[in-house]
Amino acid sequence: MLAIGIWLLLLAMCATRSVEHVERLEFSTWDLAMNLNPDDGHVMSYSVGWATDAFIGTYSEALTKDYLNRVVWNKPVNYIAIVRHQIGEVDAVKVFRFKEGDRSMLSRFQAMNPGREVVTEGGPIQESVSKNAPNTHDDPVFSVGGDLAFNWGYGDNGHRIVLTGGYLSPLGSEDDNTHGLGNDYACNPLTGVSKGIWWQHEISNIVDCPGPSGWWEGIPSRFTGCGSYSCYPTIQGNDKTDSENGCLKVGPVYGNYAIYVSSDATRFPRPGTKLQVEITVEKRSTVIENEL
């Protein structure tokens, strides 16, 4: 009888046991660090903004004109998202993880000597492109694969952000054939100082258009009509400084390019999302079971 009583007691306890399921959400934040508008009259070239620790633009026009948030630029970060957008609406995004974590964007872009550093690994951890996104065939970010490289210098040329899936000019070359974000074909890439006003430009598209060997020797034909070139580097918009020489071919604007950074966010909102200067995303959800 005792055994039966104990069994009935246990059965009653099990029958009344209940479990509360609690879902706990955790969130991460993306901060807008930079925005590039290649047709706003301000040229964010290799020598402008990236390594000088200065605020550029205004908060109210952060997603419509050139913009750099000095506070965010100084934050230690682990992830970067490059977002092409149309008046604040995402049409393409790539997210990468930095090889070296907990470093600021400022410190990364100040590391120009020797520069030429591949700063991410494993390629994009997210790549989302709208099926309606135009001009992806030669876009400097979305037409090529690979990782991000910063401060790609060669000869007297410098490019702040390029992808390893595109053509990366060798160290001693003068072929002017690397293309990306924040460019100058007449600068000291180790110091970030431009040599003149002719070749600074914001965004150049992917095109195989090498300059002729030795063009800089003697009379530089590129300054007098570029007659020795069979093709010319193609840039987006009018943000360039060679208006007198016309050696950079002006093309359409594909969009603004926003750079977001985060310490722990690994996913970015998909195409169609309206951007803000700060974006909160769900990091993970955890289910906790509590016995009542």
Side-chain angles (χ1 to χ4, degrees), residues 21-235:
H21 294 270
V22 179
E23 185 175 18
R24 183 176 66 192
L25 300 179
E26 297 181 34
F27 297 93
S28 300
T29 300
W30 288 102
D31 293 310
L32 177 64
M34 175 184 281
N35 188 69
L36 300 176
N37 179 338
D39 201 37
D40 68 346
H42 176 269
V43 184
M44 196 87 88
S45 64
Y46 188 87
S47 61
V48 178
W50 304 82
T52 52
D53 193 19
F55 203 102
I56 294 175
T58 64
Y59 189 84
S60 62
E61 297 179 314
L63 287 163
T64 58
K65 293 186 177 181
D66 286 354
Y67 173 80
L68 187 151
N69 187 313
R70 182 185 179 190
V71 176
V72 177
W73 212 242
N74 277 276
K75 281 185 176 181
V77 295
N78 299 309
Y79 297 91
I80 178 173
I82 301 182
V83 186
R84 199 181 82 176
H85 63 95
Q86 311 297 329
I87 319 177
E89 182 174 316
V90 179
D91 73 358
V93 57
K94 281 186 178 181
V95 176
F96 299 86
R97 181 173 67 87
F98 283 116
K99 283 182 181 179
E100 185 178 354
D102 294 323
R103 279 186 64 189
S104 70
M105 296 294 282
L106 178 64
S107 70
R108 298 177 196 275
F109 285 112
Q110 286 181 336
M112 293 175 278
N113 191 356
R116 297 172 62 89
E117 182 181 4
V118 178
V119 297
T120 65
E121 59 185 356
I125 59 176
Q126 176 189 346
E127 181 174 359
S128 304
V129 180
S130 169
K131 64 180 180 180
N132 298 318
N135 300 312
T136 56
H137 62 289
D138 61 351
D139 185 286
V141 176
F142 299 100
S143 72
V144 291
D147 279 292
L148 298 181
F150 286 179
N151 306 319
W152 199 263
Y154 57 99
D156 66 347
N157 309 281
H159 310 270
R160 287 298 183 178
I161 299 180
V162 295
L163 272 85
T164 60
Y167 176 76
L168 300 182
S169 300
L171 185 60
S173 173
E174 283 286 2
D175 61 7
D176 296 7
N177 203 26
T178 295
H179 309 285
L181 310 181
N183 312 283
D184 194 337
Y185 288 140
C187 71
N188 183 336
L190 304 182
T191 63
V193 177
S194 185
K195 292 183 176 181
I197 64 170
W198 300 286
W199 304 112
Q200 300 177 54
H201 57 289
E202 200 155 301
I203 298 174
S204 58
N205 294 331
I206 300 298
V207 59
D208 185 20
C209 184
S213 177
W215 72 269
W216 189 264
E217 299 175 4
I219 299 174
S221 61
R222 290 188 73 174
F223 295 159
T224 56
C226 314
S228 60
Y229 273 65
S230 60
C231 61
Y232 309 115
T234 301
I235 68 171

